[in-house]
Amino acid sequence: MDHPGSGRLAHAPDDHPPIPRARVGVVLVNLGTPDATDYWSMRRYLSEFLSDKRVVDYPSWKWQPLLQLIILSRRPFKSGEAYRGIWNTEKDESPLLTITRNQTRKVAEGLEERYGDQVMVDFAMRYGNPSTDSVLKRLQAAGCERILFFPLYPQYASPTTATANDHAFRTLMKLKWQPAIRTVPAYFEHPRYVEALANSVREAYDAAETPPEVLVASYHGVPKRFLMEGDPYHCQCQKTTRLLREALGWEKDKIQTAFQSQFGPEEWVGPATVEHVAELARQGRKHIAVVSPAFSADCVETLEEIQEEIRDAFLEAGGETFTYVPCLNDREDHVAALLAIIHNELGGWV
């Protein structure tokens, strides 16, 4: 370029059309959100989500009739009710969208402080809006010849990290001029992430009226078959729990691992959180806490499933106090962890 922001290539003729100055893009990516809680908005969202072969890998001839004719005739009503219970009515959007936007703003501020206007930051969703396709194309049009694609999943799993990356590369397949792209790997063992997680637990325990006897680390479940087929998610979840315990300086019996959100007939990794917390109550553990290390932002699985369904299962089985440890969301130590990861992954680009 002649000089930053000039819109002209060095040595280009005067009549050369202006082009944006080359920059680097960073895209934070989360799972997704429906646009609204009504039946058709929920149906569109759930159809996109449950039609993803990374999420449900049954043959289409078997799965799609069941999904479109039976599951999606009923499930949007139930899911819509769950979303309405947690909906951000002020902004008319899901909490996941609100939180991801806040995370993006703070990350952008941190990157601007270090790199000036060399780096553009945006966020996208794998399902719903803003779509991965639209965001990648917008960044390319703005001059981002290199893009760092950051799925906000601390532990790698094929139904989360892999499908987010798949979708990014599907967008590239449609572009005549592809930007160079890097994908951020799982960061469950990054010291800054573990530190932020431990800080969030300490703060929740300090604020609890009755100290919890056990902390349950509840991760989103996956079919056990995925583990047998080489998906590292289950192992990375177990290691996350261990690293968190070590950061807290606790004995082994003070923190336990469980998995939530199971559906379908096949065997899933376990134990199931909803059953596990009830069993803890029956064993005499009357005061527990639950943390969700696999979620970078609070969402329907944490705000509705954990704080309602799982909490109720514990109390109905004889538990007395249930403490929920919020996701890391846009707290400063979490943003600092994301920035540290991004700085490392941008090596050689800025």
Side-chain angles (χ1 to χ4, degrees):
M1 301 294 293
D2 289 332
H3 57 82
S6 70
R8 290 186 54 206
L9 290 170
H11 311 299
D14 291 340
D15 61 351
H16 193 285
I19 64 170
R21 179 166 64 94
R23 289 193 281 182
V24 174
V26 174
V27 183
L28 304 181
V29 189
N30 219 314
L31 183 75
T33 172
D35 294 324
T37 62
D38 62 277
Y39 173 84
W40 289 109
S41 296
M42 292 305 311
R43 182 174 179 122
R44 282 193 301 272
Y45 173 71
L46 291 171
S47 180
E48 184 182 9
F49 173 51
L50 296 174
S51 293
D52 186 350
K53 286 287 191 178
R54 290 284 195 178
V55 175
V56 181
D57 59 358
Y58 302 148
S60 296
W61 66 266
K62 180 187 294 185
W63 174 242
Q64 282 299 320
L66 177 64
L67 175 64
Q68 300 298 331
L69 299 177
I70 299 177
I71 296 174
L72 292 180
S73 66
R74 300 193 302 258
R75 185 159 177 171
F77 292 109
K78 182 178 180 181
S79 296
E81 181 181 359
Y83 270 96
R84 281 191 291 275
I86 65 166
W87 202 248
N88 182 343
T89 54
E90 181 180 348
K91 292 182 178 292
D92 192 23
E93 63 188 26
S94 74
L96 178 67
L97 181 56
T98 305
I99 293 166
T100 305
R101 184 186 296 109
N102 291 341
Q103 291 171 329
T104 303
R105 175 178 53 80
K106 291 186 176 182
V107 166
E109 290 169 354
L111 291 177
E112 183 179 14
E113 185 176 333
R114 179 160 182 169
Y115 301 117
D117 64 353
Q118 295 182 70
V119 179
M120 290 184 65
V121 185
D122 209 335
F123 71 94
M125 298 295 175
R126 170 59 184 89
Y127 314 103
N129 295 304
S131 70
T132 298
D133 187 81
S134 66
V135 171
L136 290 177
K137 288 178 178 177
R138 181 164 65 245
L139 289 179
Q140 186 206 34
C144 293
E145 297 179 0
R146 305 172 188 228
I147 295 176
L148 181 67
F149 192 76
F150 192 168
L152 292 176
Y153 308 112
Q155 301 81 17
Y156 174 96
S158 56
T160 53
T161 313
T163 190
N165 292 339
D166 288 347
H167 212 45
F169 284 105
R170 275 194 286 269
T171 296
L172 265 61
M173 290 171 65
K174 296 180 286 187
L175 298 178
K176 286 290 187 289
W177 185 0
Q178 295 178 333
I181 192 163
R182 291 177 178 172
T183 60
V184 176
Y187 57 96
F188 67 98
E189 54 188 350
H190 193 284
R192 300 292 289 272
Y193 161 73
V194 176
E195 177 187 13
L197 201 58
N199 288 342
S200 72
V201 172
R202 293 189 190 99
E203 291 172 14
Y205 270 55
D206 288 344
E209 292 185 9
T210 304
E213 302 165 87
V214 177
L215 174 66
V216 177
S218 181
Y219 301 85
H220 198 291
V222 294
K224 188 174 182 179
R225 171 172 53 85
F226 285 23
L227 170 63
M228 299 297 101
E229 292 173 351
D231 191 308
Y233 177 71
H234 179 266
C235 299
Q236 292 183 1
C237 291
Q238 297 287 354
K239 187 170 182 180
T240 302
T241 300
R242 176 174 65 80
L243 292 173
L244 174 59
R245 177 178 60 79
E246 291 172 355
L248 291 167
W250 289 359
E251 298 298 324
K252 286 186 177 181
D253 64 344
K254 294 296 183 181
I255 181 169
Q256 301 175 11
T257 299
F259 297 87
Q260 64 184 83
S261 309
Q262 300 182 15
F263 69 92
E266 65 180 305
E267 182 181 3
W268 283 48
V269 295
T273 304
V274 67
E275 298 169 3
H276 187 64
V277 298
E279 182 60 28
L280 286 174
R282 288 190 287 267
Q283 291 174 359
R285 305 294 185 92
K286 302 299 184 182
H287 314 285
I288 70 168
V290 176
V291 66
S292 302
F295 297 96
S296 62
D298 275 306
C299 54
V300 70
E301 286 86 357
T302 63
L303 299 174
E304 195 275 336
E305 184 178 1
I306 290 180
Q307 295 194 66
E308 295 187 25
E309 178 186 350
I310 291 170
R311 177 182 180 275
D312 289 349
F314 174 70
L315 298 178
E316 289 170 6
E320 296 178 7
T321 61
F322 182 95
T323 299
Y324 173 63
V325 181
C327 291
L328 296 179
N329 296 327
D330 63 343
R331 50 184 290 147
E332 297 305 318
D333 49 6
H334 185 213
V335 173
L338 298 179
L339 285 169
I341 294 165
I342 291 169
H343 293 325
N344 181 67
E345 297 299 326
L346 287 178
W349 275 9
V350 289

